[in-house]
Amino acid sequence: MEKIVYDANFCIMTDFFRMTGGKWKSVILYLIRKDINRFSLLMDAMPTISKKVLTQQLREMEQDGLLIRDVLVAKAPMVVVYHLTEKGKSLRQLIDGIIKWNKHYF
């Protein structure tokens, strides 16, 4: 019988969960889709997240191509708005499907 060897480093699901994992990324996607798309608005909507964690999550999501960081005013006070990319919008649709599934079965 052939031995099956599996390497999670080369798994599509590993990439997916790295990109969406954690307790905040799906919430951030939801909020930005609802036009809660500035740092201070996100902080207000998620009162238990720290500034450090929110910054880290936004940077990771931008690096993964889920968000675009748009600087509207380059001088102080800087105005930064986040928008979903097409990739982020399609992921949000997938998460909506997971939410429907969860509501149906739990």
Side-chain angles (χ1 to χ4, degrees):
M1 181 173 211
E2 182 181 336
K3 181 180 179 182
I4 297 174
V5 177
Y6 185 80
D7 187 348
N9 293 318
F10 299 103
C11 175
I12 292 170
M13 293 307 293
T14 300
D15 288 340
F16 173 78
F17 286 115
R18 180 198 51 76
M19 192 178 304
T20 60
K23 103 185 198 185
W24 297 112
K25 288 183 180 178
S26 60
V27 175
I28 292 168
L29 286 171
Y30 173 80
L31 292 171
I32 290 175
R33 188 183 75 183
K34 297 291 185 181
D35 291 328
I36 299 170
N37 56 2
R38 293 183 56 194
F39 191 89
S40 60
L41 296 174
L42 290 165
M43 285 294 299
D44 290 344
M46 298 180 291
T48 59
I49 193 171
S50 70
K51 288 181 182 182
K52 178 182 176 182
V53 170
L54 179 56
T55 299
Q56 176 185 4
Q57 298 291 281
L58 290 168
R59 285 182 183 158
E60 287 175 10
M61 293 171 76
E62 188 179 7
Q63 288 172 351
D64 288 333
L66 300 175
L67 301 178
I68 295 172
R69 182 179 184 268
D70 190 13
V71 180
L72 300 179
V73 179
K75 58 184 176 182
M78 190 171 7
V79 177
V80 177
V81 178
Y82 294 92
H83 303 282
L84 296 180
T85 62
E86 287 304 314
K87 184 178 180 180
K89 289 175 187 175
S90 67
L91 179 58
R92 186 61 234 175
Q93 291 172 348
L94 180 60
I95 291 170
D96 289 344
I98 292 169
I99 290 168
K100 285 181 184 176
W101 178 87
N102 191 47
K103 285 180 180 179
H104 180 76
Y105 288 103
F106 294 96

